[in-house]
Amino acid sequence: MSTPEKVINVDVVEVEERKLKFNEKLPAVINGGTGTFHSQMIQLFLLFFYTDIMKISPAYVAGLFLVTRIVDAFLAPAFGILVDRVTTPWGKYKPWVIAIGLGMGLFGWLAFTNFDLGENGNIVYATITYAIYSIFMAIGQGPGGALGPAMTKRIDDRISMGQMSYFVIMIGAILAQVAVQPLYKALGGGNDARGFSLIMGLFAGLSIFIAIYQQFKIKERYVIQPAKNEKGPSLKEMFVAVFTNKTAIIVYLFVLGINLMNGIRSGASIYYFKYYFHNEGLLAISGMVMLLPTMIGVAFSSKVTKWIGIKKNLVIGAIVGIVGSAAIIALPPSSNGIILFMVLSVIISFFAGLSTPAQATMMPAAMDYTEWKTKLNVNAFMGSFQGFLQTLATALAGAITAGALAVFGYTAGVEQSSETLFGLKVLMSIIPAVVSILTLSVIWFDLTEDKQAQIAKELEERRKNTEGK
């Protein structure tokens, strides 16, 4: 690491004049793109890699995913609390961001590399490498989310960083959804295990260059720390502040529902395309088909949200997602079925794009509301708990997918029975639709735009009064 940077300990900072440059913002948000790539690799391919390449039973993989991710879910907020309380000689958040990026790259490669250790050896190897890989995936959100406020207090900088973050996240998702399937086939030359290992090895190498870039370009300028004799809120006070108000509960149910739905469908997709439509290449094609309507939806999102409001936008997106997912159950295993699947994907993706930016406003609104109601700023804890739910959703989605495969009688590499094929349809349609009913919790989200503005104004006045005392 380089020479320790000067860190300013502040309670209130006036708006700074200096804007961050592009090459300062990019390294701060780039882990969002690499993290999305790794997350998509786990959801889309890791179950398939374990069952069809390493020949591990779906039942064992279900248990591995569930237990590991549940443990990780509890580690995420605990790690967030640790990071909040520790300042290293090299910075407060930057060293963690760099180390986590490197860890994801290395163990992502190891998890997708098959050393042919035999039946028991493969199980032990997969368990160890996935457990560590999963830990790095789980703990990244805490320091990553806290890094931006430590770099700048300018609102326009934060908006710009948010836009860049969405862009790199889209790149990570596109690479995983569109490029990986044909690449591992091409690079492997008939050896899928070799193809996966080469792809993830390249990303491991990329993570080293990203770490060097981040070390030289990320500058933490503002770190808010309590006074020497001042203690922050206790864990009990945090829980009471968050879970005694309806707004936070609604946001968390929404986050859980949308991550469960996406996780189950992502995990089931490769099996659905390979065995139901007998075309594994449809995985990449469907990713490309969904990309354009999603981006069009995002482009029109601000106008639509301004026209109908955040709440209505989110409710419509939730309903379309539920109905569209359920409709997949009726598709036949034919060319017409493939066309109808793509049409449904376009519709779902467009409305998801319309509502995605609106979704991003929910957690900040809930954070402000919690502080306004309880006079406690527990933003880091709330962000960590959102990470907890996302990790838990990944665990449950992987376990549900793997468990359903076992229940429906899936056997790797053979022609599936009619009962198994029906099970794959249920796994791609009814089960995601049922869990996504949780997203309808947004119906009770009553923080209108005007109310949010009023809360923000009152919080600002409260801070000024406190500062003047």
Side-chain angles (χ1 to χ4, degrees), residues 286-300:
S286 67
M288 295 174 64
V289 167
M290 291 187 291
L291 176 61
L292 182 60
T294 300
M295 296 185 71
I296 293 174
V298 170
F300 284 97

Side-chain angles (χ1 to χ4, degrees), residues 11 35 115 125 154-155 158 217 237 252 256 351 411 436 446 448:
D11 291 314
F115 289 103
Y125 176 82
R154 294 183 64 106
I155 299 301
R158 294 183 181 180
K217 293 299 182 180
E237 289 173 325
Y252 288 140
L256 181 61
F351 282 95
T411 303
S436 62
D446 57 3
T448 63

Side-chain angles (χ1 to χ4, degrees), residues 182-206:
L183 270 178
Y184 84 74
K185 290 290 186 183
L187 292 175
N191 184 340
D192 290 349
R194 181 173 182 270
F196 276 116
S197 183
L198 286 173
I199 290 172
M200 299 306 287
L202 289 172
F203 261 82
L206 178 63

Side-chain angles (χ1 to χ4, degrees), residues 335-347:
S335 58
N336 288 335
I338 293 173
I339 293 171
L340 289 172
F341 180 88
M342 297 302 173
V343 171
L344 284 172
S345 296
V346 167
I347 295 171

Side-chain angles (χ1 to χ4, degrees), residues 234-299:
S234 67
L235 191 59
K236 180 180 178 181
E237 289 173 325
M238 291 181 182
F239 271 97
V240 171
V242 174
F243 297 109
T244 56
N245 76 75
K246 179 182 71 174
T247 305
I249 302 298
I250 290 170
V251 174
Y252 288 140
L253 287 174
F254 186 91
V255 167
L256 181 61
I258 203 162
N259 279 278
L260 271 176
M261 176 189 68
N262 290 334
I264 293 170
R265 286 195 64 189
S266 294
S269 292
I270 192 167
Y271 298 95
Y272 180 70
F273 293 133
K274 181 175 181 178
Y275 295 106
Y276 189 70
F277 287 129
H278 301 287
N279 188 345
E280 194 175 337
L282 288 173
L283 181 65
I285 295 172
S286 67
M288 295 174 64
V289 167
M290 291 187 291
L291 176 61
L292 182 60
T294 300
M295 296 185 71
I296 293 174
V298 170

Side-chain angles (χ1 to χ4, degrees), residues 8 36 90 162 167 227 240 278 283 358 421:
I8 303 172
T36 297
W90 308 281
F167 180 71
V240 171
H278 301 287
L283 181 65
L421 293 177

Side-chain angles (χ1 to χ4, degrees), residues 13-346:
V13 176
E14 297 296 327
V15 176
E16 58 190 296
E17 294 183 2
R18 180 185 179 279
K19 294 184 67 175
L20 294 180
K21 298 178 181 178
F22 175 86
N23 64 359
E24 293 176 291
K25 300 173 188 175
L26 180 59
V29 302
I30 198 168
N31 277 18
T34 56
T36 297
F37 174 81
H38 285 289
S39 177
Q40 288 291 302
M41 287 298 297
I42 291 173
Q43 292 185 5
L44 288 169
F45 298 109
L46 192 56
L47 176 59
F48 173 77
F49 186 85
Y50 284 159
T51 58
D52 285 42
I53 294 176
M54 296 186 75
K55 306 302 181 183
I56 301 173
S57 74
Y60 180 83
V61 178
L64 174 63
F65 282 178
L66 182 62
V67 173
T68 303
R69 297 303 278 173
I70 287 176
V71 171
D72 293 343
F74 287 97
L75 284 178
F79 183 75
I81 293 171
L82 171 66
V83 171
D84 276 339
R85 295 181 177 180
V86 173
T87 300
T88 76
W90 308 281
K92 188 167 184 65
Y93 305 113
K94 182 173 81 170
W96 302 108
V97 170
I98 293 173
I100 289 168
L102 286 169
M104 281 194 296
L106 173 61
F107 281 92
W109 169 66
L110 290 173
F112 278 94
T113 299
N114 181 19
F115 289 103
D116 286 326
L117 302 176
E119 183 178 350
N120 293 331
N122 282 349
I123 291 174
V124 172
Y125 176 82
T127 301
I128 294 173
T129 53
Y130 174 71
I132 300 175
Y133 186 26
S134 183
I135 288 172
F136 280 112
M137 292 293 299
I139 64 177
Q141 188 166 339
L147 184 60
M151 293 176 61
T152 180
K153 297 298 179 185
R154 294 183 64 106
I155 299 301
D156 54 352
D157 272 343
R158 294 183 181 180
I159 293 173
S160 175
M161 289 170 73
Q163 292 170 331
M164 292 174 66
S165 178
Y166 180 81
F167 180 71
V168 297
I169 285 171
M170 286 293 293
I171 291 176
I174 291 167
L175 285 174
Q177 294 174 3
V178 176
V180 168
Q181 193 275 332
L183 270 178
Y184 84 74
K185 290 290 186 183
L187 292 175
N191 184 340
D192 290 349
R194 181 173 182 270
F196 276 116
S197 183
L198 286 173
I199 290 172
M200 299 306 287
L202 289 172
F203 261 82
L206 178 63
S207 69
I208 296 174
F209 288 101
I210 290 174
I212 296 171
Y213 179 41
Q214 290 173 322
Q215 173 58 26
F216 284 102
K217 293 299 182 180
I218 293 175
K219 305 294 181 184
E220 294 179 319
R221 295 179 174 85
Y222 307 103
V223 176
I224 301 175
Q225 296 175 338
K228 290 183 178 179
N229 297 323
E230 180 184 347
K231 292 184 177 180
S234 67
L235 191 59
K236 180 180 178 181
E237 289 173 325
M238 291 181 182
F239 271 97
V240 171
V242 174
F243 297 109
T244 56
N245 76 75
K246 179 182 71 174
T247 305
I249 302 298
I250 290 170
V251 174
Y252 288 140
L253 287 174
F254 186 91
V255 167
L256 181 61
I258 203 162
N259 279 278
L260 271 176
M261 176 189 68
N262 290 334
I264 293 170
R265 286 195 64 189
S266 294
S269 292
I270 192 167
Y271 298 95
Y272 180 70
F273 293 133
K274 181 175 181 178
Y275 295 106
Y276 189 70
F277 287 129
H278 301 287
N279 188 345
E280 194 175 337
L282 288 173
L283 181 65
I285 295 172
S286 67
M288 295 174 64
V289 167
M290 291 187 291
L291 176 61
L292 182 60
T294 300
M295 296 185 71
I296 293 174
V298 170
F300 284 97
S301 176
S302 59
K303 292 183 179 180
V304 171
T305 302
K306 186 176 180 180
W307 177 39
I308 65 176
I310 292 174
K311 179 177 175 178
K312 288 183 179 178
N313 191 353
L314 292 169
V315 170
I316 292 172
I319 292 173
V320 171
I322 294 169
V323 175
S325 291
I328 292 174
I329 192 71
L331 303 184
S334 62
S335 58
N336 288 335
I338 293 173
I339 293 171
L340 289 172
F341 180 88
M342 297 302 173
V343 171
L344 284 172
S345 296
V346 167

